[in-house]
Amino acid sequence: MIERFGKNEIDAVVKSINKSSLLSGYTNKFLGGETLQKFEKEFAKFHNCKYGISVNSGTSALFVSQLAAGVKNKKVAIPSITFTSTTSQVIACGGIPYFTDIDPKSYCMDFDFKKKAKVAIPVHLLGHPCNFDMIKQMKESDMFVIEDCAQAMGGKNKNKLVGSIGDCGIFSFQETKHITTLGEGGIIITNNEEFAEKCRRIRNHGEYYKNDNSIGFNFRLTESQAAFGMAQLKRLPTILKNFRKNANYILHNLPDIITPPNIPKEIEHSFLILGCKYNVDKAKVSREKFLEKLTKNRKKFLENEEKSDIKGLNFRPGKIISSGYKTTQYDIPMYKKYYPKKKLINAEIFLKESLFLDIHRWRTKKEINEELKILEMTSQEI
């Protein structure tokens, strides 16, 4: 099992606290201290981009990037299967959500270019990169493209990293993501200097209070968080290697009733979550009945085991293996105002068949094999 963080991260935080820059390192432009500016540059460089603008969450990154892009009163294309903040921040910025269907193989956005939208937010769902040719075509159609990479740090398509293809990319450093900045944080990366400067001003009260069209806020990341993030960034290649190793082992040892995700050769999946399909025709019982039986078997199988931080989660139904997203974005009451003219078929099928497996991150081979054994035992019993 790879440690989530250790001495290097702790030492980096202590060092940042002891440095005078914590108190006096902020410039008159509020760009942040020395460590924060270095973290922004290193993260952007890792993704082959020029500029990084750190913020206090991935949701803030969505908000700031859309405000800087000027989405107010514009139609913003977003996938119907995603986390709620993708949609909520469109509305918060005055944009008009336009829900698209998903690709049945990758579960990512499938955009119909017959429809018109000024802005698009393709989401690299669960760690699977979106179709980069689609993103390229969006840009060629003069759409402003914000890649939502919150779930896909380190993912690649044709050897190009997510976040480096659109006009900008946003990332989350929340505690469940590939790397974290002490539990919360986010960043925007871009090659557009003017856009980057707009994001910086929005992040920090307008900074100079020039003739901006948008008001400024306080979405700053701290020096200690940046120090932690720097140490985590150095470990990202190792983290990704372990995620992929564990994920591939699981995907090759699943029972027949679970279909692994389709991953083309040109894709390097970052495997935040294992998004699979439940094959009800083979199982002969509903997905919900299967999950109910699975939870009982897990509790019985592990009841005599010593509880670790990981095994403790095993007693919470749905946390390790679940049906995933419960609804499309357009069926959430708050967003029904933007309901599409017709239901989106692939998204609806996804909701009925999806099975999310979070049994590979930060886990030992022993713990993974335990979960696989419980899966196999349950599949044989139904």
Side-chain angles (χ1 to χ4, degrees):
M1 177 180 67
I2 181 174
E3 292 182 347
R4 287 212 64 179
F5 45 81
K7 189 175 185 299
N8 288 345
E9 285 87 347
I10 294 167
D11 287 348
V13 171
V14 172
K15 185 178 179 181
S16 76
I17 293 171
N18 290 330
K19 283 181 66 174
S20 60
S21 64
L22 178 66
L23 301 176
S24 61
Y26 280 82
T27 70
N28 62 351
K29 289 179 68 177
F30 292 94
L31 293 177
E34 177 186 335
T35 303
L36 187 140
Q37 291 183 53
K38 186 177 180 181
F39 176 52
E40 291 177 332
K41 289 176 182 176
E42 290 297 319
F43 191 88
K45 183 180 178 182
F46 182 92
H47 291 86
N48 300 313
C49 286
K50 294 179 180 178
Y51 309 105
I53 306 94
S54 61
V55 288
N56 58 6
S57 72
T59 300
S60 295
L62 281 166
F63 180 79
V64 171
S65 59
Q66 289 182 80
L67 218 55
V71 306
K72 188 174 181 179
N73 298 323
K74 294 178 181 177
K75 189 179 286 187
V76 182
I78 53 178
S80 52
I81 300 292
T82 184
F83 184 64
T84 186
S85 62
T86 310
T87 307
S88 68
Q89 297 313 291
V90 173
I91 298 170
C93 292
I96 305 164
Y98 164 61
F99 293 113
T100 76
D101 208 348
I102 60 170
D103 174 72
K105 292 183 178 179
S106 69
Y107 316 138
C108 296
M109 173 189 272
D110 184 14
F111 184 68
D112 182 356
F113 283 92
K114 294 178 183 178
K115 305 293 183 180
K116 300 296 181 182
K118 295 291 186 181
V119 183
I121 308 179
V123 178
H124 304 292
L125 198 75
L126 309 181
H128 193 299
C130 287
N131 184 332
F132 277 16
D133 290 335
M134 176 189 72
I135 295 175
K136 183 180 178 182
Q137 189 176 348
M138 285 172 170
K139 292 187 69 176
E140 290 171 350
S141 302
D142 292 324
M143 297 173 69
F144 192 93
V145 181
I146 300 170
E147 292 181 62
D148 186 338
C149 314
Q151 300 181 3
M153 193 181 298
K156 290 183 180 181
N157 187 336
K158 297 178 181 177
N159 211 35
K160 293 181 180 179
L161 282 160
V162 298
S164 66
I165 307 301
D167 292 282
C168 72
I170 72 96
F171 294 82
S172 170
F173 301 133
Q174 191 265 348
E175 62 181 349
T176 64
K177 302 305 190 291
H178 292 85
I179 67 172
T180 182
T181 48
L182 290 173
E184 289 289 355
I187 198 167
I188 304 158
I189 60 171
T190 184
N191 285 312
N192 185 323
E193 185 177 9
E194 182 182 356
F195 175 78
E197 184 60 24
K198 283 184 180 179
C199 289
R200 292 190 191 104
R201 292 203 299 270
I202 294 167
R203 169 186 69 177
N204 188 61
H205 301 296
E207 291 189 355
Y208 293 114
Y209 294 97
K210 290 184 176 180
N211 296 320
D212 288 346
N213 292 323
S214 59
I215 196 167
F217 300 86
N218 178 359
F219 295 128
R220 298 190 299 264
L221 200 67
T222 68
E223 276 284 276
S224 294
Q225 286 179 286
F228 196 93
M230 279 285 292
Q232 285 267 281
L233 182 59
K234 291 176 182 178
R235 299 180 62 213
L236 180 56
T238 302
I239 290 169
L240 288 167
K241 182 180 178 180
N242 277 270
F243 273 36
R244 288 165 175 154
K245 179 182 177 182
N246 285 350
N248 284 316
Y249 175 75
I250 291 167
L251 296 178
H252 284 91
N253 288 280
L254 290 173
D256 289 342
I257 62 170
I258 301 176
T259 304
N262 180 280
I263 306 172
K265 290 183 179 179
E266 68 270 19
I267 293 293
E268 289 186 44
H269 204 299
S270 66
F271 290 116
L272 186 72
I273 297 288
L274 306 184
C276 302
K277 286 185 178 180
Y278 178 72
N279 193 324
V280 70
D281 291 331
K282 287 185 178 180
K284 305 301 182 184
V285 300
S286 70
R287 180 185 56 181
E288 287 64 35
K289 288 287 185 183
F290 171 76
L291 288 171
E292 183 181 337
K293 181 68 174 176
L294 181 70
T295 299
K296 290 179 180 178
N297 280 341
R298 181 184 293 116
K299 187 173 183 179
K300 181 179 179 181
F301 185 85
L302 298 174
E303 63 184 353
N304 295 320
E305 295 280 341
E306 181 182 351
K307 286 186 183 180
S308 68
D309 289 340
I310 294 170
K311 287 199 179 75
L313 289 173
N314 288 328
F315 294 94
R316 301 176 190 173
K319 292 294 183 182
I320 299 295
I321 300 175
S322 72
S323 57
Y325 290 117
K326 308 300 181 187
T327 180
T328 60
Q329 288 291 290
Y330 54 78
D331 271 320
I332 294 173
M334 184 167 56
Y335 306 147
K336 281 193 173 183
K337 177 181 177 182
Y338 309 100
Y339 207 93
K341 291 182 179 179
K342 60 179 182 179
K343 286 197 173 186
L344 304 174
I345 301 302
N346 293 333
E348 296 291 334
I349 292 173
F350 174 86
L351 290 180
K352 295 176 182 177
E353 296 181 348
S354 64
L355 201 64
F356 287 9
L357 280 65
D358 184 11
I359 63 177
H360 67 293
R361 299 185 294 169
W362 322 111
R363 290 176 171 82
T364 64
K365 195 72 167 287
K366 179 177 181 292
E367 287 168 324
I368 290 171
N369 282 327
E370 284 178 345
E371 290 292 342
L372 287 172
K373 185 174 182 179
I374 298 166
L375 272 173
E376 184 62 38
M377 178 172 62
T378 306
S379 68
Q380 291 176 359
E381 290 178 355
I382 57 177

